[in-house]
Amino acid sequence: MDSVIERIQPYLAEDSLSPVLAAVVVVAVALYVFSHKSSLPAIPFELRPPAESLPGWRSGEILDQPSIIVKDRPDLIQCFDPATGRSLGQVRAATVDELQDKIHRARKAQTVWAQTSYEQRRQVLRTLNEFVLAHQREICQVACRDSGKTLIDATLGEVLTTSAKLQWTIKNGEKALQDDERDPGFMMMYKRARVVYQPRGVVSALVSWNYPFHNTIGPVISAIFSGNAIVVKASEHVAWSMSYWEQMIKRALNVCGHDPELVQFVTGFVDIGNALTSSPDIDHITFIGSPEVGKLVMKSASANLTPVTLELGGKDCAIVFSDADLSQCIPVLMRGVIQNASQNCIGIERILIQDKIYEKFVDEMTRRIKAVRLGSILDDEPNQVDCGAMVLSNCFGRLEALIADAVSKGARCLVGGHAYTHPKHPKGQYFEPTLLVDVTPEMDITRNETFGPIMVLMKFADEQDALSKVHSSPYGLGSSVFSGDRTRGSRVALKLRTGMTNVNDFGVNYICQSLPFGGVGISGFGRFAGPEGLRALCVEKAFTEDRLPFIKTPIPPIVDYPIQNTEKGYQFTQQIVAFAYSETWWDSIKAGLRLGKLSM
């Protein structure tokens, strides 16, 4: 309080400040202090980032054939920078026994953590958020080194999204998990009914490699705030950075006085994923990945009927009507395709343009895509890199085949279309920014997620034509509609068979952390983010109790065991139903009179 008063005192002393305004300021400060008087503050801590994350680091050798596989050593994971092919060292893959030990330690820590208050949990998240805000560059550099993205893409996709989730959870998480009072209905009017959200126990998350920081930290935020422990299985393709993220979380817990064993990280290959999803000691699974692997996760989890949330990628569309504001629309769609080399589950993979503006749109995108520059943001001149590398190089042949199939069926590839050998980083994993136009629904590229910097343009005539072409894909994660007519924009957006949609924007529903995130079709089911995401990690327990201690549920003698007259007992129960649920009061009164006679 004293520090707040010291800050505003000079302003209160100014002659120009009216007495009324001064009073308003004092009242506002008092309200602020009162509302925050019980808040536990963030506790600062420091953590040194790995030396390899520094710009210009070149100590590791350039691998001749960059791969995560170490010959004759299945217990090791080779880590490397996909932008340069430079080795980042090797990480030991966990064993199944080690995984089981981590689950056991998490379970033990969770029994204590479940008793903490929401304010104690908020303090941990505040501590984490303050660290993230104070160390944005270091976090981004670690993510860039491990996944090849640019600093801008890391800031937007790793840091901004994580801070948005932290802040929303801090401000709204308790409200989302408060007991939910329900109407008990006429028959049970003497009862109080509510839903109580209780932590499941030990939950798990198997997350993808495209955003190593955010995909790892996001599930942790929701899990610990809802009172759970969590075991995170990170992709082996970004195993190098996992130690830094794990230390960050554990330090935040530790400085706030809690057991860091609450959060466990594990890195390994398929055997570890299988062991985690089939473990009877895991109470919920969140999986982020492909539909093919998602089906295997479901099958594995079914052995113990473990509930799952599946986010399985998308083939997101953007519909651009002729009245759209192209000066706003085009830059947004460029980011929707080029950001993180389009390694985004909600990346824009299909752009449908109304025929009236199609050629104009193609000309502008041709100019822009040609100008996109590839490179390593940590090793090249910063002003010379627009788009980074790709984490997986084994997808390049598949991408080239999808482009070739489209061209063979009438599409035109105006820019790019192939893997790219960077002159400074020949062992880096780059794919040319590509512009593919005149694409039609029968082409394979419209039904297969590319996860690469390929802009696909399709032409449509009217609303129905656009919807028909969009729905030719089995995916249904996110979507966008651009139109100057807000009514039409909303109308078309709500007709799209997707889990999320944006009018005149792309992907912003994820920055609105109050909204659930997830899809339909082969994009998966279940939701994370928003109240729905927190509640998915809880047991939704239905709870009733007597409203008044002296009014309890009686069993009338006519239906008390052993029942003396079953026919009379049946008529009695029949009239109870009529009394409670008849459409009119008169019918209820008549049923009540019959009940009285039967009870005599």
Side-chain angles (χ1 to χ4, degrees):
M1 178 69 178
D2 292 340
S3 63
V4 175
I5 292 175
E6 287 174 8
R7 292 182 186 179
I8 68 168
Q9 207 163 25
Y11 301 98
L12 295 176
E14 290 182 5
D15 295 335
S16 60
L17 195 63
S18 70
V20 174
L21 184 56
V24 170
V25 171
V26 170
V27 170
V29 171
L31 289 172
Y32 175 85
V33 172
F34 177 78
S35 65
H36 288 72
K37 65 180 182 179
S38 62
S39 296
L40 296 174
I43 300 175
F45 68 92
E46 291 298 322
L47 180 63
R48 187 189 300 275
E52 296 90 338
S53 66
L54 297 175
W57 173 83
R58 292 183 175 84
S59 296
E61 66 170 322
I62 300 290
L63 300 175
D64 183 49
Q65 292 183 317
S67 169
I68 61 172
I69 303 300
V70 179
K71 187 178 180 180
D72 299 325
R73 289 297 304 272
D75 60 322
L76 294 178
I77 301 170
Q78 175 65 57
C79 304
F80 62 91
D81 178 355
T84 62
R86 193 177 298 277
S87 172
L88 297 172
Q90 296 173 343
V91 171
R92 194 174 66 83
T95 66
V96 173
D97 287 342
E98 288 170 337
L99 169 64
Q100 190 56 44
D101 180 61
K102 287 176 179 286
I103 296 173
H104 174 75
R105 301 203 312 259
R107 177 77 62 184
K108 184 177 179 181
Q110 192 272 337
T111 59
V112 178
W113 177 254
Q115 306 307 313
T116 56
S117 68
Y118 285 119
E119 184 53 35
Q120 288 175 299
R121 299 173 194 177
R122 276 192 289 267
Q123 183 184 35
V124 175
L125 298 193
R126 288 191 192 104
T127 297
L128 183 58
N129 190 49
E130 287 300 309
F131 180 86
V132 171
L133 294 176
H135 299 83
Q136 290 188 57
R137 180 171 287 273
E138 292 98 317
I139 291 169
C140 288
Q141 287 175 175
V142 172
C144 290
R145 186 64 80 191
D146 208 12
S147 62
K149 59 172 57 69
T150 68
L151 284 170
I152 291 175
D153 292 350
T155 302
L156 295 175
E158 306 275 16
V159 172
L160 185 149
T161 49
T162 300
S163 287
K165 191 176 189 73
L166 282 164
Q167 282 290 1
W168 182 86
T169 308
I170 290 167
K171 294 178 180 178
N172 303 283
E174 181 176 0
K175 181 180 178 182
L177 296 178
Q178 283 179 341
D179 292 358
D180 187 3
E181 297 289 336
R182 301 291 176 90
D183 179 3
F186 178 73
M187 273 285 288
M188 294 288 108
M189 66 172 66
Y190 60 96
K191 295 285 187 180
R192 290 183 61 205
R194 66 181 187 268
V195 178
V196 180
Y197 298 98
Q198 298 180 318
R200 289 185 181 273
V202 179
V203 301
S204 67
L206 295 87
V207 297
S208 56
W209 40 259
N210 52 333
Y211 288 100
F213 176 60
H214 178 70
N215 286 352
T216 301
I217 301 299
V220 173
I221 295 168
S222 297
I224 65 175
F225 191 82
S226 53
N228 295 287
I230 185 169
V231 180
V232 180
K233 195 278 182 188
S235 169
E236 54 271 28
H237 293 281
V238 286
W240 173 76
S241 59
M242 289 304 113
S243 175
Y244 183 58
W245 316 138
E246 182 177 21
Q247 291 178 64
M248 189 187 304
I249 292 290
K250 289 182 177 290
R251 288 290 298 276
L253 284 164
N254 191 52
V255 297
C256 293
H258 305 291
D259 190 349
E261 299 287 1
L262 185 72
V263 177
Q264 300 288 338
F265 281 42
V266 62
T267 303
F269 295 103
V270 175
D271 60 326
I272 294 299
N274 289 339
L276 185 58
T277 56
S278 63
S279 172
D281 299 315
I282 292 296
D283 301 303
H284 183 276
I285 298 167
T286 297
F287 173 75
I288 303 173
S290 69
E292 294 74 23
V293 179
K295 293 174 184 178
L296 296 176
V297 169
M298 277 187 67
K299 184 177 181 180
S300 181
S302 68
N304 300 296
L305 296 179
T306 306
V308 297
T309 294
L310 300 178
E311 193 273 274
L312 305 179
K315 191 72 187 171
D316 286 13
C317 69
I319 300 174
V320 183
F321 284 96
S322 58
D323 61 352
D325 178 359
L326 295 185
S327 66
Q328 180 263 344
C329 168
I330 286 177
V332 169
L333 292 178
M334 278 293 295
R335 179 147 295 280
V337 174
I338 300 301
Q339 176 169 317
N340 201 32
S342 205
Q343 297 166 114
N344 307 300
C345 55
I346 52 171
I348 299 295
E349 296 219 357
R350 295 173 296 160
I351 303 176
L352 288 81
I353 308 103
Q354 198 160 23
D355 47 16
K356 298 175 184 177
I357 59 169
Y358 184 78
E359 295 304 329
K360 178 181 178 181
F361 197 95
V362 169
D363 291 343
E364 178 61 17
M365 285 307 190
T366 301
R367 182 185 68 82
R368 284 175 173 263
I369 296 291
K370 281 182 177 179
V372 174
R373 300 161 297 179
L374 299 173
S376 168
I377 198 66
L378 298 181
D379 297 278
D380 300 334
E381 290 295 325
N383 292 329
Q384 296 179 359
V385 179
D386 301 306
C387 180
M390 296 184 66
V391 174
L392 304 182
S393 62
N394 59 6
C395 69
F396 291 170
R398 182 179 64 86
L399 296 182
E400 290 175 344
L402 287 171
I403 293 167
D405 170 79
V407 170
S408 72
K409 295 174 181 176
R412 293 178 292 148
C413 185
L414 301 184
V415 183
H418 301 281
Y420 176 69
T421 301
H422 197 286
K424 292 179 64 176
H425 313 294
K427 298 300 181 180
Q429 300 178 166
Y430 297 93
F431 197 87
E432 294 174 333
T434 297
L435 180 62
L436 191 64
V437 306
D438 302 346
V439 175
T440 54
E442 65 270 12
M443 299 173 186
D444 292 345
I445 200 166
T446 66
R447 297 184 302 276
N448 291 274
E449 188 176 30
T450 56
F451 232 55
I454 302 172
M455 180 176 285
V456 170
L457 302 188
M458 307 173 71
K459 187 188 297 186
F460 75 92
D462 53 29
E463 289 183 25
Q464 189 54 48
D465 186 33
L467 290 169
S468 175
K469 288 175 177 175
V470 167
H471 292 153
S472 64
S473 167
Y475 287 93
L477 190 58
S479 56
S480 301
V481 178
F482 291 84
S483 175
D485 182 340
R486 292 180 61 184
T487 300
R488 176 166 65 178
S490 297
R491 180 177 65 246
V492 174
L494 291 174
K495 289 181 179 179
L496 293 171
R497 193 171 61 244
T498 60
M500 301 172 289
T501 193
N502 303 281
V503 177
N504 292 327
D505 220 323
F506 137 76
V508 294
N509 46 275
Y510 195 55
I511 307 303
C512 301
Q513 278 288 314
S514 58
L515 295 174
F517 187 97
V520 299
I522 66 169
S523 289
F525 54 80
R527 298 293 185 265
F528 54 83
E532 294 82 358
L534 282 176
R535 293 170 183 169
L537 300 177
C538 296
V539 175
E540 298 174 317
K541 182 172 288 185
F543 181 90
T544 68
E545 61 184 345
D546 295 327
R547 194 178 294 276
L548 298 171
F550 50 84
I551 300 180
K552 303 182 185 299
T553 300
I555 300 296
I558 195 171
V559 290
D560 192 15
Y561 292 110
I563 299 171
Q564 300 301 313
N565 186 326
T566 55
E567 178 58 30
K568 191 175 181 181
Y570 166 69
Q571 292 178 21
F572 181 84
T573 55
Q574 189 180 42
Q575 295 308 314
I576 287 177
V577 175
F579 173 74
Y581 302 113
S582 290
E583 286 293 324
T584 68
W585 279 103
W586 176 237
D587 288 338
S588 292
I589 290 171
K590 288 190 294 184
L593 293 173
R594 296 189 194 104
L595 280 172
K597 290 181 180 179
L598 288 167
S599 299
M600 292 178 181

